[in-house]
């Protein structure tokens, strides 16, 4: 019997974000280099460009805005930083031996810039 669960439907990046990603691929020469700059796999970049990405497109759009469009956010701990760095800090685990990471872990939980991973 076939599963009744609906598969995820791909969502396209906003046009200006997709254009920035395409420009980054042209500037860097390959999708692999653009992926390395974003901190994701080349397959993710390829799927984003072909509007077939099944993951959290909003989070990827924020990463692209932070890395290739120079968008920033105001962090309560670090001050102004790129959206990409903000997302990276949100994903880092709590480390009790690092005071900065402990402060970030606590602040990120209630920060208005928080992007829940999904």
């Amino acid at each position: 019997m076939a599963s009744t669960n609906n598969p995820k439907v791909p969502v396209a990046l906003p046009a200006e974000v997709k254009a920035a990603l395409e420009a980054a691929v042209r500037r860097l020469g390959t999708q692999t280099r653009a992926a390395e700059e974003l901190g994701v796999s080349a397959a993710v970049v390829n799927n984003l460009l072909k509007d077939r990405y099944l993951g959290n497109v909003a989070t990827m759009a924020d990463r692209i805005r932070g890395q290739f469009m120079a968008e920033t956010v105001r962090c309560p701990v670090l001050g102004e930083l790129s959206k990409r760095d903000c997302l990276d800090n949100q994903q880092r685990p709590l480390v009790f031996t690092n005071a900065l990471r402990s402060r970030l872990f606590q602040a990120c939980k209630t920060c208005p810039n928080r992007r829940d991973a999904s």
Side-chain angles (χ1 to χ4, degrees):
M1 185 168 159
S3 172
T4 59
N5 292 338
N6 291 334
K8 285 188 172 185
V9 177
V11 177
L13 284 170
E16 73 281 0
V17 176
K18 187 173 182 180
L21 181 57
E22 290 168 340
V25 169
R26 281 192 305 276
R27 181 175 47 83
L28 296 168
T30 67
Q31 291 179 8
T32 301
R33 287 188 185 138
E36 288 170 356
E37 292 247 340
L38 278 175
V40 298
S41 72
V44 168
V45 170
N46 184 278
N47 285 326
L48 286 167
L49 291 171
K50 293 182 178 183
D51 297 331
R52 294 190 313 206
Y53 184 65
L54 297 176
N56 189 327
V57 172
T59 297
M60 288 307 305
D62 281 345
R63 289 182 77 81
I64 293 164
R65 285 184 181 108
Q67 186 67 33
F68 300 130
M69 300 171 77
E71 287 191 16
T72 61
V73 294
R74 184 87 182 137
C75 174
V77 176
L78 299 173
E80 192 167 321
L81 72 158
S82 77
K83 281 189 174 185
R84 156 84 195 278
D85 290 336
C86 176
L87 291 169
D88 288 347
N89 282 320
Q90 290 176 34
Q91 298 304 311
R92 291 193 174 105
L94 173 61
V95 177
F96 290 106
T97 57
N98 184 319
L100 178 60
R101 293 264 296 275
S102 293
R103 288 177 45 216
L104 282 168
F105 184 83
Q106 291 301 317
C108 286
K109 288 194 285 186
T110 58
C111 183
N113 300 313
R114 176 85 183 152
R115 170 73 68 182
D116 291 322
S118 47

